[in-house]
Every structure is written in structure tokens, then in C-alpha cells.
Amino acid sequence: MKAEIITIGDEILIGQIVDTNSAWMSSRLNGIGVKVAQITSISDRREHILEALKEAEGRADVILITGGLGPTPDDLTKDVLAEYFQTHLVRNDEAYRQLEGFFKSRNREMSALNARQADLPANCTMLPNPNGTAPGMQFEERGKVFVSMPGVPFEMKAMMDDHVLPWLKNKYVLPFILHRTILTQGIAESTLYEMIASWEEALPDSVRLAYLPSAGMVRLRLTATGEEKTCKELIAKEEEKLRKLIPQYIYGADDETLESVIGRLLLERNATMAIAESCTGGYIAHRITSIPGSSAYFLGGVVSYANEVKTSLLGVDAGSLRTHGAVSEDVVLQMAAGARKATGANYAVATSGVAGPDGGTEEKPVGLVWIAVAGPTFTEAKQFRFVKDRMRNIELATQTALGWLRRKLEESPH
């Protein structure tokens, strides 16, 4: 079964908001065995909506529409759907009662404009919206299913979970789809391909592999479709083979993050950590402390942008700063050691670099970053050359630092 998603709204097309609805809906649909064939964003114009509906009907079995259900004249979705299905709007008594209850529960008067939201196409099934004033609409026409929902994310999500997904699962026999995403760090996509090419070529026909690169990592998504037990056995078998091929680069699977893996490793070793950041500006600390319970192993950090802070709080030698500069192996090693000493942590990570877009020189260009990791028996530093974009440098340096710490922790005894 194929689905298509249509998002309606000029605010999406001009970049005022990001369409997160489609990604969420796609994930939910895929989870029950419905494949999303296309996602289309269109403007709040009658002709665009009509054209998108016609094209989607020719491609998909289920068409999900979000947006354009507000009470103001620029919200055209209901009227255009009525036109598309050659029907008219009628006052839906159940929708009207729910609107009355919604406004009464909030001690507000329902205006005539709001009351018009209970006027729905005569051939639709009304979908209740307990979180807002715009009811959803479901149509079964010409062997296809059309569902129109509000564009407000929490309203749409409730409607999907409470009605649309259960209805689809009950009406259709849907295939089982299993995704397993293996997470790698510290290896480029092209190099990764070369290392696992023979394994990929030998994959069963029922298992597909996709490479999903992002800042500082590559995700490998395995997908199997068919009978649930067979899919799970196939994916488990292929994952085991993959982990044996590249164990040093795999840090987790599916929704795991480097910071969550690091937290688990620290807890298993009854160890603690600290951070000394310069070019990453606290982003590593943010990632670590985003994990619930991180106070059990994260002792603290210093964002030492100024050299005076490096010397006063981390104990970096002023002579080293004058001789080598802040972006240097000598200084970043001292920063990591200083963070351990200042906090009493077992492990520490330090960063110092030229994030950009300014400040680079021929000797130390934008994107040059030194990273150090210190532990009970070692203090090591490495130089990295990233890119010319400031935020991407911060992300890459953070991901690289966390990946290196993860590897050092796995090497250490429990």
C-alpha cells in the first residue's frame, strides 16, 4: 500500500516554518507497513490544491493532507475538498457540539467564524479534534482514502494516533516492515563502503541497505519486509556480520546517541567525566547533560574562550599560550589535564580550534581543531581539519570528541 502526504501552507514554502509533520507521519505510517511514495508541499491556492489531489490520487492508495483548516478566509482546504468531490458543505452537528464544548471549557464565546469550522463536506466522516477547533475529515472515494487534518503538530499527531493509524491497520492487511539502523562514527562514507562492500553484495534480496551520512557519522539502515519472525531473524543475522566487520566504528543502533552510550559506559565503570571547551562553546556539555541522569557521571565543564580563563581555571601555562597559541597540541593537552584536576573526574575531553568564519591564518586555517582526551593512564591529542562553516565545525568537533571518548572508554576495563 502506498501513501502520499500533502502539506498545505505558504508558511512552509517561504521557509517561515519547517515541515516536521511529514517526517513524523512517514515514520508512523512506515511502522504499520504503509510506504510513503511522495511528500508534496503546496501553497494555499485553490488550483494548486486541486492539482495536488488529482496527481496524488493517481499515485497513492491513501492521501493524507495537513493544513488549511483554520477559520479565516485564507484557509481553503475544506472548500476545495468539497469541490474536488463534487459536494457541498453542511453543518455537522457532532462537530458543532464538540466546538461548543471546546470553547465552554475555556470560558470563551464561540464566534460565528469559529462556528463555520463545523461546516464540513457532506460526504466526509468527521474526525474529532479534542485539542483544537478544526475537525478532521475522512473520505473514501473511488477506491482511495483521503484524510484531511489540522497542520498544528500536536493536533495532527493525536488524530493520527487515535484514528487514522488504527483505522488503516483494521481495514487493510499490511506487510511487516522492519528497520534497523546501525550507527557509525569516525569513518567516511566512501571508506565505510569499501570496508563492507562484500558484505553488502551478499545481502539477501529481501534485505536492503541505505547509507545515511550526517555531521561526523554515517548511519547504515537495514530494511526487511515480509513475515515478522523471518524479518527479525534476517536483520539480526546481517547485523551480527556487520558488527564483526567494523566493530571499532559502531557505537550503537536506532535511537541511541553517542552521549547516551558514553553515559552508559561511565556508569558501568563507576567513572566520571569533565569537559574543557573553547571552539565548541559548551556544545559538548550540552550534549552530555541532555541525557537524564547525567549528574551521576558528569561533574562539570569550563568554556574557556579567553586565554586568561585557560590559565586561571584550567592551569594552562601562559608560556605555552605565547609560544604555541591557544589552538595547539600543547595547550589542548593541558586543558584536558586541567579539567580532570579541577573537578576530580576520571576522564576529560578538551577542544580548541578555529571555528570561523574569521580568525584563520595560513598556519591555522578555519576548521583546524585540536581535541584531547584524558583518562587515568593517558592524555592524548589529535589535530583535525574540518570545514569553513562555523556551526558545522562545532558539530563535527563535538561528534569527533564524543566518538573518541567512547572508544577510549570501551578500551578501558570495567
Side-chain angles (χ1 to χ4, degrees), residues 264-375:
R264 173 175 53 79
L265 292 171
L266 288 167
L267 289 172
E268 289 174 355
R269 290 154 177 75
N270 193 28
T272 56
M273 70 169 292
I275 296 170
E277 300 186 64
S278 183
C279 64
T280 47
Y283 193 56
I284 301 177
H286 163 71
R287 290 271 299 268
I288 292 294
T289 56
S290 68
I291 302 302
S294 55
S295 59
Y297 50 83
F298 180 65
L299 300 187
V302 177
V303 180
S304 54
Y305 240 51
N307 286 347
E308 293 80 5
V309 176
K310 291 180 176 69
T311 56
S312 62
L313 296 184
L314 296 172
V316 175
D317 179 60
S320 296
L321 286 163
R322 287 192 299 270
T323 303
H324 304 290
V327 183
S328 64
E329 178 180 16
D330 194 41
V331 167
V332 80
L333 285 169
Q334 292 184 58
M335 288 171 64
R340 284 193 69 223
K341 183 177 180 180
T343 62
N346 302 105
Y347 294 88
V349 171
T351 61
S352 186
V354 187
D358 304 317
T361 64
E362 186 175 343
E363 182 183 351
K364 297 180 180 181
V366 170
L368 173 68
V369 177
W370 278 96
I371 297 173
V373 177

Side-chain angles (χ1 to χ4, degrees), residues 92-364:
N92 185 290
D93 293 336
E94 184 181 357
Y96 188 81
R97 285 193 298 271
Q98 290 181 7
L99 274 172
E100 284 186 315
F102 181 89
F103 283 98
K104 185 177 181 180
S105 68
R106 289 158 176 78
N107 295 316
R108 292 167 52 193
E109 290 290 329
M110 182 171 66
S111 69
L113 191 64
N114 287 123
R116 287 183 61 238
Q117 291 188 286
D119 296 340
L120 306 177
N123 64 332
C124 82
T125 299
M126 190 275 292
L127 306 183
N129 179 9
N131 299 309
T133 61
M137 297 165 284
Q138 181 169 311
F139 307 82
E140 293 183 65
E141 297 285 338
R142 302 184 284 273
K144 303 297 177 76
V145 178
F146 297 76
V147 182
S148 176
M149 295 172 286
V152 179
F154 80 97
E155 295 181 27
M156 176 276 295
K157 290 177 180 180
M159 207 170 284
M160 282 284 291
D161 284 340
D162 294 344
H163 174 80
V164 179
L165 297 175
W167 186 87
L168 289 171
K169 287 192 289 186
N170 184 61
K171 184 172 178 64
Y172 300 103
V173 177
L174 300 170
F176 179 78
I177 301 176
L178 178 63
H179 296 295
R180 179 67 167 171
T181 304
I182 310 303
L183 309 170
T184 72
Q185 194 280 324
I187 182 171
E189 180 184 10
S190 56
T191 308
L192 182 60
Y193 168 75
E194 292 173 356
M195 292 186 69
I196 66 174
S198 58
W199 165 80
E200 181 180 355
E201 290 170 4
L203 284 173
D205 293 338
S206 56
V207 178
R208 293 183 290 109
L209 174 68
Y211 292 79
L212 307 168
S214 58
M217 65 178 290
V218 180
R219 292 172 292 164
L220 299 171
R221 188 186 66 220
L222 289 163
T223 301
T225 304
E227 194 273 325
E228 182 174 355
K229 183 174 182 291
T230 302
C231 288
K232 289 180 176 179
E233 289 175 349
L234 277 173
I235 293 294
K237 182 179 179 180
E238 296 305 325
E239 179 180 346
E240 183 180 5
K241 294 178 185 177
L242 180 62
R243 286 182 178 272
K244 289 179 180 178
L245 281 175
I246 50 169
Q248 69 274 37
Y249 298 114
I250 294 175
Y251 69 84
D254 294 333
D255 295 328
E256 286 185 291
T257 61
L258 273 171
E259 49 268 35
S260 66
V261 171
I262 287 169
R264 173 175 53 79
L265 292 171
L266 288 167
L267 289 172
E268 289 174 355
R269 290 154 177 75
N270 193 28
T272 56
M273 70 169 292
I275 296 170
E277 300 186 64
S278 183
C279 64
T280 47
Y283 193 56
I284 301 177
H286 163 71
R287 290 271 299 268
I288 292 294
T289 56
S290 68
I291 302 302
S294 55
S295 59
Y297 50 83
F298 180 65
L299 300 187
V302 177
V303 180
S304 54
Y305 240 51
N307 286 347
E308 293 80 5
V309 176
K310 291 180 176 69
T311 56
S312 62
L313 296 184
L314 296 172
V316 175
D317 179 60
S320 296
L321 286 163
R322 287 192 299 270
T323 303
H324 304 290
V327 183
S328 64
E329 178 180 16
D330 194 41
V331 167
V332 80
L333 285 169
Q334 292 184 58
M335 288 171 64
R340 284 193 69 223
K341 183 177 180 180
T343 62
N346 302 105
Y347 294 88
V349 171
T351 61
S352 186
V354 187
D358 304 317
T361 64
E362 186 175 343
E363 182 183 351
K364 297 180 180 181

